[in-house]
Amino acid sequence: MSSQPKRVPMYVQLKNFILNQMKNGTWKPGDKLPSENELAEEFKVSRITVKNALADMVSQGIVYRIQGKGTFISDDSSESMMSFEPIKTDSSLIAFLMPRLNNCFTANLMTGIEKELADQGYNFVFRLTHESQELENKLLKELVTAGVSGIMVYPVDGETFNHEILKLTLNHYPLVIVDRYLRGLDTNCVYSDNYGGAYEATKHLTELGHASITFISTKISGTTSIEDRLRGYEQALIDAGQFIDYRLRLLDLGGGMPAVDQIQTYLRENPDVTAIVATNSTIGLQVMKAAQLLNLDVPRDLSIVCFDDYEQSNLYPVPLTYVDQNEMNIGKEAVKLIVSLIRDRSTEPRKLMLPNKLIVRQSTAINPRSDGSATAGVLLSEVRP
């Protein structure tokens, strides 16, 4: 582990400069501060960095703004200054924020992170965000203030933008997004090839002669991993010469009724469906349960492919064919990336997309309703019992 002193973010350095000018009497209550452009030029930083520093000081009551006139030292700034402390970095701590820890994927991801952190000589701080972006932002602020060296974030579902992550990224704070990326935010991230995984899963089904293949997921909007899986599914259908049928998708699972009931209703209303691409193993198992309740045989009547394995899957009568994202490796690579950022904060943001693999098991078979021209797609991928 590097013994180099950890760099304090630029917006904190700027706040310290202003506070020092106030403490030594250079700037007094009522004085106007230099403009944002002047401060940005003096410190060789962007205006957004200056805005972040001043915004924090406004919230603390140290300075105040008058629209069109500028920023001024507050009359009661001395009291507010007493509570301000520069960040002290604990070089041994790296934090990880995750919305939930409730399946094999998240457990294996956590294991990969913990093992690599230990190998790298760092200690681990873990916090659950419980699918709340508000809590996520609160924890980000608390962890930065506590002085952790860096933070890894598995964003909550549906998160399209995060102002706290943007601020930290602009200030070159060591931060890595895990499992996905945030569109329009140029930040460090590590994720699997969701598009390619869904493409291969769908291609496997089309090669088995399936033409009515449904894509099932929870709410899709804003979650780039699911959005990319939908794109991969659609492209595989197009490449197989099939039309995109918007009836063949269920994109709000669990939104209004129990998931198994919702899937049963969908399958009853769409009896031509012979195959399912599920965006995670929980949904895959829910499809399996719904098929059982409808007396549909898997895979004779319905083939199922999902993302990710599940606990003791080898003990199930019909183990699901799945896309293996190698989540332990995602965790390890996320740690390697954040450690490199801690050692050199000047590194340009990197997006690291890792390969995945289709593991074919007993839940997929040749469509008996096809014309017999389907090839045995299982020969194209690894087969596991």
Side-chain angles (χ1 to χ4, degrees):
M1 183 178 66
S2 173
S3 59
Q4 294 180 353
K6 302 301 182 286
R7 177 184 169 194
V8 177
M10 282 304 302
Y11 82 98
V12 177
Q13 295 181 45
L14 178 55
K15 286 165 62 175
N16 286 338
F17 168 77
I18 295 173
L19 289 171
N20 286 332
Q21 294 293 89
M22 294 165 62
K23 287 176 180 177
N24 64 28
T26 302
W27 292 338
K28 300 178 177 62
D31 285 352
K32 180 181 178 181
L33 295 182
S35 69
E36 291 179 358
N37 284 335
E38 290 169 339
L39 289 171
E41 175 63 27
E42 181 174 350
F43 281 84
K44 307 301 180 188
V45 296
S46 65
R47 280 191 64 187
I48 190 66
T49 298
V50 177
K51 284 180 180 293
N52 289 339
L54 295 179
D56 279 0
M57 298 183 77
V58 168
S59 68
Q60 293 173 332
I62 299 171
V63 300
Y64 63 93
R65 286 173 171 160
I66 299 177
Q67 185 69 31
K69 293 187 177 181
T71 305
F72 299 83
I73 305 297
S74 175
D75 289 339
D76 57 357
S77 59
S78 58
E79 182 178 345
S80 299
M81 286 167 57
M82 296 294 291
S83 64
F84 178 78
E85 297 261 345
I87 292 175
K88 297 176 182 178
T89 302
D90 184 338
S91 61
S92 69
L93 289 175
I94 291 178
F96 177 48
L97 302 183
M98 177 185 276
R100 59 195 174 279
L101 181 57
N102 61 348
N103 54 38
C104 276
F105 178 86
T106 52
N108 289 337
L109 178 64
M110 174 84 80
T111 299
I113 287 174
E114 192 280 331
K115 185 178 186 306
E116 188 63 28
L117 281 172
D119 291 346
Q120 296 272 359
Y122 285 86
N123 292 316
F124 188 22
V125 178
F126 173 64
R127 293 289 186 272
L128 283 173
T129 59
H130 300 287
E131 293 290 2
S132 167
Q133 188 170 347
E134 181 180 358
L135 179 57
E136 181 181 281
N137 287 338
K138 180 176 180 289
L139 290 172
L140 282 169
K141 292 176 183 177
E142 290 178 354
L143 289 166
V144 171
T145 302
V148 299
S149 291
I151 303 174
M152 294 170 287
V153 182
Y154 185 133
V156 303
D157 284 348
E159 184 169 331
T160 57
F161 179 79
N162 186 303
H163 185 258
E164 289 302 317
I165 290 176
L166 174 61
K167 281 202 305 183
L168 293 172
T169 299
L170 290 172
N171 285 288
H172 300 285
Y173 182 87
L175 185 143
V176 173
I177 302 296
V178 181
D179 179 67
R180 66 197 67 165
Y181 55 93
L182 299 180
R183 295 197 192 280
L185 230 177
D186 190 18
T187 190
N188 298 283
C189 49
V190 179
Y191 56 98
S192 77
D193 183 5
N194 291 291
Y195 173 92
Y199 183 95
E200 290 302 319
T202 309
K203 179 184 176 185
H204 170 65
L205 294 171
T206 62
E207 288 177 339
L208 291 172
H210 295 279
S212 293
I213 304 170
T214 291
F215 182 92
I216 302 184
S217 78
T218 52
K219 185 177 180 181
I220 188 171
S221 178
T223 304
T224 55
S225 55
I226 301 179
E227 291 174 347
D228 288 348
R229 290 172 193 179
L230 178 59
R231 290 195 305 111
Y233 155 83
E234 291 179 338
Q235 190 60 52
L237 293 180
I238 292 170
D239 291 349
Q242 298 187 20
F243 292 106
I244 302 298
D245 185 349
Y246 290 95
R247 175 182 59 87
L248 298 176
R249 57 182 64 185
L250 184 56
L251 304 182
D252 60 347
L253 197 66
M257 60 189 298
V260 172
D261 294 346
Q262 197 172 352
I263 295 168
Q264 282 191 82
T265 299
Y266 176 83
L267 291 175
R268 284 196 199 97
E269 294 174 351
N270 298 276
D272 59 315
V273 170
T274 61
I276 301 286
V277 175
T279 53
N280 60 52
S281 58
T282 299
I283 295 175
L285 291 172
Q286 289 167 334
V287 173
M288 182 84 79
K289 179 63 175 179
Q292 181 183 15
L293 293 171
L294 293 172
N295 294 317
L296 296 175
D297 181 84
V298 176
R300 188 189 65 223
D301 301 319
L302 186 69
S303 286
I304 307 170
V305 183
C306 64
F307 271 73
D308 310 323
D309 203 1
Y310 47 98
E311 189 175 6
Q312 297 182 328
S313 58
N314 60 312
L315 299 181
Y316 280 68
V318 183
L320 291 174
T321 294
Y322 73 101
V323 177
D324 182 4
Q325 297 189 81
N326 195 354
E327 53 271 18
M328 288 186 66
N329 190 48
I330 294 175
K332 290 179 181 180
E333 292 299 324
V335 171
K336 291 177 183 178
L337 178 55
I338 201 162
V339 169
S340 73
L341 296 172
I342 291 170
R343 294 172 178 172
D344 181 8
R345 297 197 181 197
S346 63
T347 305
E348 290 297 312
R350 284 191 286 163
K351 287 183 169 62
L352 182 58
M353 184 174 70
L354 304 178
N356 46 40
K357 189 173 188 178
L358 180 66
I359 306 300
V360 178
R361 299 192 295 198
Q362 279 81 15
S363 69
T364 54
I366 293 175
N367 178 17
R369 305 183 204 175
S370 66
D371 59 8
S373 62
T375 59
V378 292
L379 299 177
L380 304 177
S381 304
E382 180 180 349
V383 179
R384 289 187 183 174

